[in-house]
Amino acid sequence: MALFQTSNATADVLVGYDFGTTGSTTFGTTTVASGVSGSDVTNGSLSTFIIDDFGYASDSVLQAAPTNSLTSTAALAVANDSYFEFTITPDASQAVTFTSLTFNAAKGGSSGTARGYVVRSSVDSFATDLGTADLTTVRDWTPVSISLSGGSFDNLVAATTFRIYTYSNSTARSVEYDDFALNGSVIPEPGTYALLAGLTGLVAVMVRRRR
């Protein structure tokens, strides 16, 4: 009989944000897995940061517009802190492995030049683009899926913040977002595995001595 059993949790939604339904909006989490906590979605220095339905049937979405009219490219969005963010924190003695970040995005109108997003994280102090794209559809969702597999997002025991930078060539020209899901698994932190292994060995020795 096994004295202790440890295993990775099945990959699942760790935190999710859908911003509520028409008439009932929230910047807070709408899905939170056991073993973690998620912050509210908060504004960096966007000129527009509001939730409403904006014509989406029975659904509230997040509308974001850039810091200023000069924030017209991905690089300028990062330079001008034109972002919103959220943070996920493992519980004590837990670690998280992230596998992907998914969300929907769309242009808030047809006028103007490129509008789009950039995603970065605190894992490397917001130094590297995890994903970026110009959006082409107006109030018709583009599904976004950003892979977080490959090592940098494995077995994290500290809080991790994700920033979504937004750009367009006017503060009156927005990008709209919905249905954020940060996917992955929650496991005991690596030190806990070592402790459990040590306890298993100790109990096994004691059992043999009693025989």
Side-chain angles (χ1 to χ4, degrees):
M1 178 181 295
L3 298 173
F4 297 98
Q5 182 178 20
T6 60
S7 62
N8 284 8
T10 303
D12 206 347
V13 176
L14 299 180
V15 293
Y17 301 86
D18 68 15
F19 307 112
T21 57
T22 301
S24 178
T25 63
T26 178
F27 287 100
T29 56
T30 46
T31 302
V32 185
S34 177
V36 299
S37 60
S39 72
D40 288 356
V41 177
T42 58
N43 187 9
S45 60
L46 295 163
S47 61
T48 299
F49 180 70
I50 57 176
I51 297 175
D52 208 331
D53 62 28
F54 301 110
Y56 295 91
S58 302
D59 195 19
S60 292
V61 306
L62 175 63
Q63 185 180 81
T67 302
N68 55 51
S69 60
L70 301 178
T71 308
S72 57
T73 67
L76 288 171
V78 173
N80 293 335
D81 290 332
S82 182
Y83 68 83
F84 59 90
E85 67 181 11
F86 62 89
T87 300
I88 180 171
T89 305
D91 292 349
S93 299
Q94 300 291 312
V96 292
T97 291
F98 302 127
T99 55
S100 66
L101 173 65
T102 61
F103 58 91
N104 292 324
K107 294 172 67 175
S110 58
S111 61
T113 54
R115 310 184 198 191
Y117 64 86
V118 183
V119 178
R120 294 189 174 194
S121 84
S122 61
V123 166
D124 64 355
S125 300
F126 309 104
T128 304
D129 294 351
L130 299 175
T132 182
D134 292 344
L135 296 167
T136 58
T137 57
V138 178
R139 292 193 169 163
D140 184 13
W141 293 125
T142 295
V144 178
S145 181
I146 297 172
S147 175
L148 302 176
S149 300
S152 296
F153 293 93
D154 292 353
N155 298 320
L156 302 177
V157 297
T160 303
T161 299
F162 290 86
R163 288 181 178 173
I164 294 82
Y165 297 83
T166 297
Y167 59 90
S168 75
N169 68 346
S170 170
T171 57
R173 294 167 181 165
S174 65
V175 176
E176 292 161 357
Y177 300 92
D178 201 10
D179 297 328
F180 281 86
L182 182 59
N183 306 291
S185 57
V186 183
I187 58 175
E189 66 175 298
T192 303
Y193 281 131
L195 175 61
L196 291 176
L199 289 174
T200 301
L202 177 61
V203 172
V205 170
M206 293 174 64
V207 169
R208 285 197 299 269
R209 286 181 175 177
R210 291 182 65 182
R211 290 175 180 172

